[in-house]
Amino acid sequence: IKEVKNYLRISHEYDDILIQNLIESATEAAENFTGLSINHREIECKIRNTKSDFTLRYLPILSIEEVYVVEKNKKEEITGNFGYVNNTINRIYFNEEYVDQDIEIKYIAGYKKTPKTIAHGILMHVVLMYEHAENETNLSSKILDLYLPHRIIKI
């Protein structure tokens, strides 16, 4: 909020709730366009009949918290030796012994530090929505140009 208020040259606190809502809305729009998790979020996913590799839905992968093999009602933790994550392509690889098993994964998606171009696009979007309340809810081409290099297209 402080950064947005500085950018808008606002010193009062009357619009803090509005500005926070606009930040959340702009962040969600950025996430929807890029296909990335900008804020940290904990994700739990279940994979049936695991293959040797798998792309997790929410990216980038910040950390793998817990990994379990699930058999009927029994869970065995394998966090320390499930395989590995290739962060360059955001793909998780399982050791051969876990292929065709049911797996549960808890992980954190998001950035350690949001890329400057995405952060600037969010700031620009908030400013547009604040200054032109009812007219500027769509992403402008200038904002899209900032997000485009980060966009992940899922096929």
Side-chain angles (χ1 to χ4, degrees), residues 96-107:
E96 191 175 314
E97 63 196 277
Y98 304 118
V99 173
D100 295 326
Q101 302 272 340
D102 292 345
I103 303 284
E104 281 185 17
I105 301 173
K106 287 184 184 179
Y107 69 103

Side-chain angles (χ1 to χ4, degrees), residues 22-36 38 117-130 132-151:
L22 294 175
I23 291 168
E24 290 170 12
S25 178
T27 301
E28 187 176 317
E31 287 180 333
N32 289 338
F33 182 79
T34 62
L36 298 169
I38 294 166
T117 51
I118 292 176
H120 188 67
I122 291 170
L123 178 63
M124 287 174 59
H125 194 188
V126 170
V127 169
L128 284 172
M129 290 189 294
Y130 184 82
H132 306 285
E134 67 282 342
N135 298 332
E136 290 294 336
T137 56
N138 293 326
L139 294 172
S140 74
S141 62
K142 291 178 182 178
I143 295 169
L144 293 177
D145 288 344
L146 292 171
Y147 295 160
L148 207 53
H150 304 281
R151 189 173 194 186

Side-chain angles (χ1 to χ4, degrees), residues 36 55 59-61 84-93 152:
L36 298 169
T55 300
L59 306 172
I61 302 165
Y84 67 97
V85 174
N86 181 332
N87 283 319
T88 306
I89 59 173
N90 292 304
R91 202 152 179 85
I92 188 167
Y93 293 87
I152 294 177

